[in-house]
Amino acid sequence: MKVSEIYKNGGRSLSFEIFPPKKDDELNNIDDTLDVLCELEPDFISVTFGAGGSCNCNKTIELARKIKEKYKVEPVMHLTCLCYDRHEIDEFAKALIDSGIENILALRGDVREGVMKKEDFTYASDMVTYLKEKYDFCILGACYPERHPESANMVDEIKHLKTKVSAGTEVLLSQLFFDNALFYDFREKCRIANIDVPVIPGIMPVIKAAQIKRMVSMCNAAFPIRFQKIVDRYENNKEALFDAGMAYALSQIIDLITSGTEGIHLYTMNNSCIARRICEGIKNIV
Ligand code: FAD
């Protein structure tokens, strides 16, 4: 099923993001995580993809296939394009078609030292255009409520996002954020620019202090004072940080749902306890 179908007639999605384990033997262990995640009946599960070079790409396809075949849940495969040429993207597309996978999160990938770029695709929108011309996938794309770190300002950010949507992106999944007001502001800017596809907020419950620091350096997400207080007070108390981090994420999610967002995309970090706790917290929320 194409993910874009979910939102027709006002439907709302709950989705999880997972990553393929690095070691081969861990691919079997992920079944324990998937057993719980799939029991929670998400509308789709997205599987991350290496940015290029020595990547985990075959594991991404393998895991997406498993989600579809064994668990009967719709997978979305992340696919980056910066390090691949058209021929290689065709190979991925063929593998996906052979596995019955219909949804791609089309990404550029990070520009990093040591990553060998190829010429065919400069931006995610270039791959969206290519895939839409040749294939029949439902294409999702990334968006950044607090701006992509490379964007000079919000005007450029929205202009480029509009190009990506005009190229055929049907659903947008957002970068994580901790301040809902920034998401609402971004969503409004999208609507003003006639970006009319669903914009699904990405939520990552913070349960480890080291993880918070990594996240902040990676994506520059703003910390509201209410959130900062939790981090300051419970940084060295694992159990308290877990409870407080989950409560914070739940309050964000309930606010997003009651404000009419089209879905919630949960960054699970392959931790099924997170997903279970969130789902318990919203089971009666409509
Ligand atoms: P683009 O949409 O191409 O945008 C990148 C930058 O270029 C932005 O600043 C944009 O404004 C600018 N830009 C776009 N078009 C133009 C243009 N025509 N002219 C000038 N500037 C332009 N990375 C992975 O490696 N693997 C993953 O699995 C993965 N999953 C992700 C999932 C989500 C939900 C998100 C939000 C990000 C994910 N990423 C992943 C990270 C992503 O690859 C990086 O953030 C990357 O730097 C940008 O990718 P993009 O697809 O958003 O790029």
Side-chain angles (χ1 to χ4, degrees), residues 96-159:
L96 293 187
I97 292 166
D98 289 346
S99 305
I101 296 167
E102 296 177 80
N103 303 287
I104 295 177
L105 175 58
L107 298 152
R108 184 197 65 180
D110 278 330
V111 180
R112 277 202 219 109
E113 223 176 291
V115 171
M116 295 287 288
K117 290 195 275 176
K118 292 200 175 162
E119 303 289 312
D120 283 351
F121 306 104
T122 306
Y123 299 109
S125 54
D126 300 329
M127 176 165 67
V128 177
T129 303
Y130 183 71
L131 289 171
K132 275 289 169 190
E133 267 170 21
K134 278 192 87 165
Y135 304 100
D136 183 33
F137 293 109
C138 167
I139 304 290
L140 297 85
C143 66
Y144 303 83
E146 296 175 69
R147 265 200 287 138
H148 186 275
E150 288 167 38
S151 297
N153 53 57
M154 214 26 145
V155 174
D156 285 354
E157 180 77 27
I158 296 286
K159 203 165 76 186

Side-chain angles (χ1 to χ4, degrees), residues 5-192:
E5 293 295 317
I6 299 168
Y7 309 99
K8 292 195 174 147
N9 308 316
R12 194 175 65 207
S13 62
L14 172 67
S15 53
F16 301 143
E17 179 169 309
I18 62 168
F19 54 86
K22 286 207 175 75
K23 295 185 188 137
D24 277 340
D25 52 347
E26 288 170 359
L27 202 57
N28 294 328
N29 298 345
I30 195 129
D31 283 18
D32 295 342
T33 307
L34 284 174
D35 284 347
V36 177
L37 293 184
C38 294
E39 219 178 80
L40 298 168
E41 300 183 347
D43 295 290
F44 62 91
I45 294 182
S46 79
V47 189
T48 66
F49 184 88
S54 59
C55 74
N56 240 359
C57 36
N58 290 332
K59 285 194 195 147
T60 300
I61 300 180
E62 211 179 305
L63 193 50
R65 190 187 298 132
K66 182 180 247 184
I67 291 167
K68 176 128 191 149
E69 285 173 4
K70 180 171 173 192
Y71 293 94
K72 315 288 179 222
V73 171
E74 211 50 54
V76 170
M77 162 141 167
H78 297 207
L79 181 61
T80 62
C81 61
L82 198 62
C83 305
Y84 298 105
D85 58 25
R86 288 193 185 93
H87 172 70
E88 288 164 308
I89 293 296
D90 284 336
E91 292 298 311
F92 287 125
K94 280 178 198 134
L96 293 187
I97 292 166
D98 289 346
S99 305
I101 296 167
E102 296 177 80
N103 303 287
I104 295 177
L105 175 58
L107 298 152
R108 184 197 65 180
D110 278 330
V111 180
R112 277 202 219 109
E113 223 176 291
V115 171
M116 295 287 288
K117 290 195 275 176
K118 292 200 175 162
E119 303 289 312
D120 283 351
F121 306 104
T122 306
Y123 299 109
S125 54
D126 300 329
M127 176 165 67
V128 177
T129 303
Y130 183 71
L131 289 171
K132 275 289 169 190
E133 267 170 21
K134 278 192 87 165
Y135 304 100
D136 183 33
F137 293 109
C138 167
I139 304 290
L140 297 85
C143 66
Y144 303 83
E146 296 175 69
R147 265 200 287 138
H148 186 275
E150 288 167 38
S151 297
N153 53 57
M154 214 26 145
V155 174
D156 285 354
E157 180 77 27
I158 296 286
K159 203 165 76 186
H160 298 144
L161 190 60
K162 173 84 180 158
T163 305
K164 191 152 72 174
V165 169
S166 301
T169 303
E170 290 151 89
V171 178
L172 293 170
L173 299 184
S174 96
Q175 179 61 283
L176 61 92
F177 58 89
F178 302 109
D179 185 346
N180 286 3
L182 298 173
F183 176 80
Y184 299 137
D185 187 46
F186 172 74
R187 194 177 54 170
E188 194 174 7
K189 289 187 171 100
C190 289
R191 299 306 180 228
I192 291 168

